Amino acid sequence: MSSTDPYAEWDAAYVIGALSPRERLEYEEHLSGCGPCSQAVASLAGIPGILSAVPADRALRPPHADPSLAEVPATLLPELMDSSRRARRWGRIRTAAVAIAAGLAGVMASPLLTERQEAALPMVQTTPSPVTAEVRVIQEPWGTRVELTCRYAVPADPGPAKTFEYAMYVTDLLGSSTKLATWMASPDTTTMPVGTTGLTMKQIRSIDVRLTKNGLVLLDRHL
């Protein structure tokens, strides 16, 4: 990842989900052939999990509502990312959680944990349809993040374009299913829904895509 690499500063935006769907696809294609950028993403991968551990009521509370909470400076996240990049050059990753905890006035403090990311896995059609998908299951310190790339091809039978609502479910080893995300899609579109669960990867039996109107399973992937 040289100074001339146009993607050199995309790692932080990718990790925190600030890229658009088009930019995300573009950057993931770049990552497949760029080792330094892939390492940069891996070293920042624990940050979303750390931030997600902050209780919502406290994270959203205005600073003036609690005198013990100091306002988080706008420069906190850029400084955090720069600190992590410097740590990589020194041959180790510093605990970004310490910087976050300081900015959030003692909400939490924990070492930065590195996620384990699996390759994108093709989903298997259980019901014939123009919908296909690949799923990426990513272990986080707090559970698992599931990223789906779902494509709705143009049907062979021409006709009025139809828009359907879909849902992504996770099923654990005991057979209990939980909805992780929903989205709308129509022909010739690609959607990238993301869901999270407190289950670890070892506790997940399968991921599936369903039509929400009748619960029909279109795609499935056993882990």
Side-chain angles (χ1 to χ4, degrees):
M1 185 171 60
S2 68
S3 59
T4 60
D5 186 345
Y7 300 97
E9 301 300 324
W10 287 36
D11 52 352
Y14 177 75
V15 168
I16 65 174
L19 297 180
S20 68
R22 181 188 60 78
E23 290 172 332
R24 186 178 183 85
L25 283 173
E26 179 182 342
Y27 189 55
E28 288 180 343
E29 290 179 1
H30 173 73
L31 288 177
S32 65
C34 181
C37 281
S38 297
Q39 293 174 5
V41 168
S43 71
L44 299 174
I47 290 177
I50 294 171
L51 292 173
S52 71
V54 180
D57 61 336
R58 189 157 188 179
L60 298 176
R61 189 186 308 164
H64 58 74
D66 186 344
S68 68
L69 292 179
E71 184 175 358
V72 179
T75 57
L76 176 60
L77 186 58
E79 290 174 356
L80 176 60
M81 300 305 181
D82 289 341
S83 175
S84 184
R85 292 189 185 100
R86 287 196 299 272
R88 294 200 305 272
R89 290 196 295 270
W90 297 338
R92 62 188 176 87
I93 300 174
R94 295 189 175 212
T95 112
V98 172
I100 294 176
L104 293 175
V107 172
M108 61 165 293
S110 64
L112 179 63
L113 300 178
T114 302
E115 70 182 13
R116 184 175 77 254
Q117 180 168 334
E118 299 293 334
L121 304 171
M123 301 192 75
V124 178
Q125 280 198 338
T126 56
T127 302
S129 78
V131 178
T132 59
E134 295 86 41
V135 62
R136 181 179 285 115
V137 183
I138 304 167
Q139 183 68 59
E140 299 280 13
W142 39 265
T144 305
R145 185 167 80 249
V146 183
E147 299 179 351
L148 195 70
T149 301
C150 188
R151 301 177 181 85
Y152 189 154
V154 177
D157 183 17
K162 295 182 179 180
T163 299
F164 294 98
E165 184 178 36
Y166 301 89
M168 173 169 58
Y169 280 78
V170 60
T171 301
D172 63 23
L173 298 179
L174 298 178
S176 177
S177 296
T178 303
K179 182 163 58 179
L180 300 185
T182 60
W183 66 97
M184 304 296 293
S186 55
D188 199 24
T189 60
T190 297
T191 310
M192 302 179 68
V194 177
T196 60
T197 173
L199 297 171
T200 66
M201 288 179 61
K202 292 183 179 180
Q203 294 172 321
I204 297 175
R205 186 176 72 185
S206 65
I207 307 291
D208 65 71
V209 174
R210 310 179 188 184
L211 278 172
T212 58
K213 67 176 183 179
N214 57 13
L216 179 65
V217 177
L218 302 178
L219 303 166
D220 184 71
R221 180 71 203 198
H222 282 257
L223 303 183

